[in-house]
Amino acid sequence: MGIITGLGLAPGTSPGLLGAPEIGAPEIGAPEIGAPETEVDREAGPQPGTVQPRLRNGRKIFRTALPFALVAAIFLFALPRFASYRSVWASMHAMTWPQVLLIAVAAVASMASAWVMICAVLPSVRLREAAVVNLGSNAVANTLPAGGALAMGVSWAMLSGWGVSTAEYVLYTLVSGIWNVFARLGLPVLALLVLLPAARPGVGVIAAAAVGLALLAAAAAGLSLLLRSESFASGAGRTLQYVLVIACRLVRRRASFDVSGSLLGFRSRAGTLIAARGWRITAATAASNLILWLVLLACLRGMGLSQAQVSWQTSLAAFAFIRLLTVLPITPGGLGITELGLIGILAAGAGHQASAQVTAAVLLYRAVTYLPPIPLGAIACLVWRHAPALIHAEAAITQKRTRT
């Protein structure tokens, strides 16, 4: 009775009287179950209702396969043009143990700097909890297409179990993301400044620095106005709401959100957080990006490339350009695109004879920064699920109570 009333039908009215078929009754004109296909059916082809799901499935398969195909093409065809993998392995095999130790220490420091960044934005999270969140989310982001969205789900599941509220998590995601974008936009400007006294910068570095500076100035001004002016925040929210509603209509999605109210709420919370911990967040973000560049520099020096062959200024410029280029995640973790871009820029300055060393250095840099979070993240997720007391004691107690 309640279901019929909820559908807008009078009690006792059969749905079949209104044009809808009775449950179990075949539609008018529909073939009976098990009936053989007629010549008319063959000429008519597939029904429209079956074509659209097939198209959607085809698009999903294409979007999933494209990043993997791009990565395979880069590693199988593009990179061997700079140096063969045999010569790359020979360059790596020639490294000394002190050089290997230096690279390992730099890679561990780079990994830990990301944990400090999480603690800077979320002061209630301890360092070991930040390590589990970072490793677990990176393991997903580095292995799956569109892994960034799934990584957010992993980090939210962990942090919410440790008492982080939804508002705190959204604030953490937005602030850390904004500061990371600021760092990527500002790095080309820094690289241009340090490159000017040493050598004549190329057109690409100048263009990247100009674009980065313009976007950084616009983003910083917009964030400042958002935090200082309530009227600006309200107007920006209404404009963004209008744009998103149009976008939802184009993709035939229902627009059920209040951007203006969410933006005003973010403004008050972000203003308090930035006023209290803004300098810590900025320092942690800058340190995380610079230490990641030091890993690249350590790999270049470990392969025997001198300052005359590849200067630290050139390596910083290449690093900054690629960081800006990979803001949009075309492949998981920028895999393939980062390697090709770094090798292309650095090998052009080092010369043909040093191509094998440059290729080996870049591949080693990517190996020590991209691969370790995958197995370590899997271990972190297993510990989080099966031994939570090693990470967060209160979460372990809560889990025991729910089981009993």
Side-chain angles (χ1 to χ4, degrees):
M1 179 75 72
I3 297 176
I4 295 176
T5 306
L7 292 174
L9 305 180
T13 305
S14 172
L17 297 177
L18 300 179
E22 298 277 356
I23 298 176
E27 293 185 26
I28 299 175
E32 295 182 4
I33 298 175
E37 186 180 17
T38 64
E39 189 67 28
V40 177
D41 296 330
R42 294 191 192 98
E43 293 178 358
Q47 297 298 319
T50 62
V51 175
Q52 192 172 4
R54 291 177 183 175
L55 292 175
R56 290 179 180 176
N57 293 333
R59 291 171 184 170
K60 289 180 181 179
I61 294 173
F62 177 76
R63 287 196 300 264
T64 303
L66 181 61
F68 289 105
L70 180 61
V71 171
I74 290 174
F75 278 94
L76 292 178
F77 302 106
L79 296 187
R81 292 182 175 273
F82 294 95
S84 65
Y85 287 117
R86 181 176 297 179
S87 62
V88 168
W89 174 251
S91 299
M92 291 184 182
H93 195 262
M95 292 176 61
T96 62
W97 281 109
Q99 292 171 335
V100 173
L101 181 61
L102 176 63
I103 294 172
V105 170
V108 172
S110 175
M111 195 181 303
S113 65
W115 310 342
V116 176
M117 170 63 185
I118 295 175
C119 294
V121 184
L122 286 174
S124 62
V125 174
R126 292 176 291 184
L127 188 64
R128 60 184 177 184
E129 297 167 353
V132 172
V133 170
N134 177 255
L135 292 173
S137 58
N138 278 348
V140 175
N142 289 354
T143 53
L144 299 176
L150 298 175
M152 291 178 62
V154 172
S155 60
W156 162 240
M158 292 180 176
L159 290 171
S160 61
W162 299 332
V164 176
S165 65
T166 304
E168 290 175 327
Y169 177 75
V170 171
L171 182 63
Y172 150 71
T173 304
L174 292 176
V175 171
S176 59
I178 290 171
W179 254 248
N180 185 47
V181 171
F182 282 174
R184 288 175 181 251
L185 295 176
L187 273 173
V189 181
L190 175 63
L192 180 62
L193 293 177
V194 301
L195 193 61
L196 281 174
R200 183 178 179 180
V203 178
V205 176
I206 297 176
V211 172
L213 181 61
L215 294 177
L216 179 61
L223 181 62
S224 178
L225 285 172
L226 180 68
L227 297 178
R228 293 175 180 272
S229 174
E230 185 176 352
S231 60
F232 176 83
S234 180
R238 289 193 298 269
T239 303
L240 187 58
Q241 174 90 15
Y242 178 74
V243 172
L244 291 178
V245 167
I246 294 177
C248 289
R249 288 177 181 174
L250 292 176
V251 298
R252 297 179 180 179
R253 296 287 181 89
R254 183 181 178 184
S256 57
F257 42 75
D258 181 18
V259 178
S260 182
S262 301
L263 203 59
L264 290 174
F266 166 77
R267 173 181 173 272
S268 60
R269 292 190 298 270
T272 303
L273 176 64
I274 294 172
R277 307 181 65 84
W279 67 271
R280 297 182 184 180
I281 299 172
T282 303
T285 305
S288 178
N289 283 268
L290 291 177
I291 293 174
L292 184 60
W293 161 68
L294 288 177
V295 179
L296 173 62
L297 184 62
C299 292
L300 291 169
R301 297 295 178 256
M303 291 299 156
L305 293 165
S306 63
Q307 173 73 8
Q309 292 174 300
V310 180
S311 65
W312 66 267
Q313 294 93 335
T314 302
S315 68
L316 179 60
F319 174 80
F321 179 78
I322 297 302
R323 291 285 286 176
L324 181 61
L325 184 65
T326 54
V327 169
L328 298 177
I330 301 174
T331 59
L335 186 63
I337 297 175
T338 300
E339 289 82 354
L340 182 61
L342 286 175
I343 292 172
I345 296 172
L346 296 175
H352 178 72
Q353 295 180 349
S355 293
Q357 292 170 287
V358 170
T359 305
V362 172
L363 291 180
L364 180 60
Y365 156 71
R366 287 293 283 168
V368 299
T369 56
Y370 185 90
L371 295 179
I374 297 175
L376 292 177
I379 295 172
C381 290
L382 289 175
V383 172
W384 168 65
R385 291 293 296 174
H386 300 288
L390 297 176
I391 307 170
H392 193 93
E394 294 181 2
I397 295 173
T398 304
Q399 188 176 27
K400 289 181 180 178
R401 289 177 179 174
T402 54
R403 288 178 178 177
T404 56

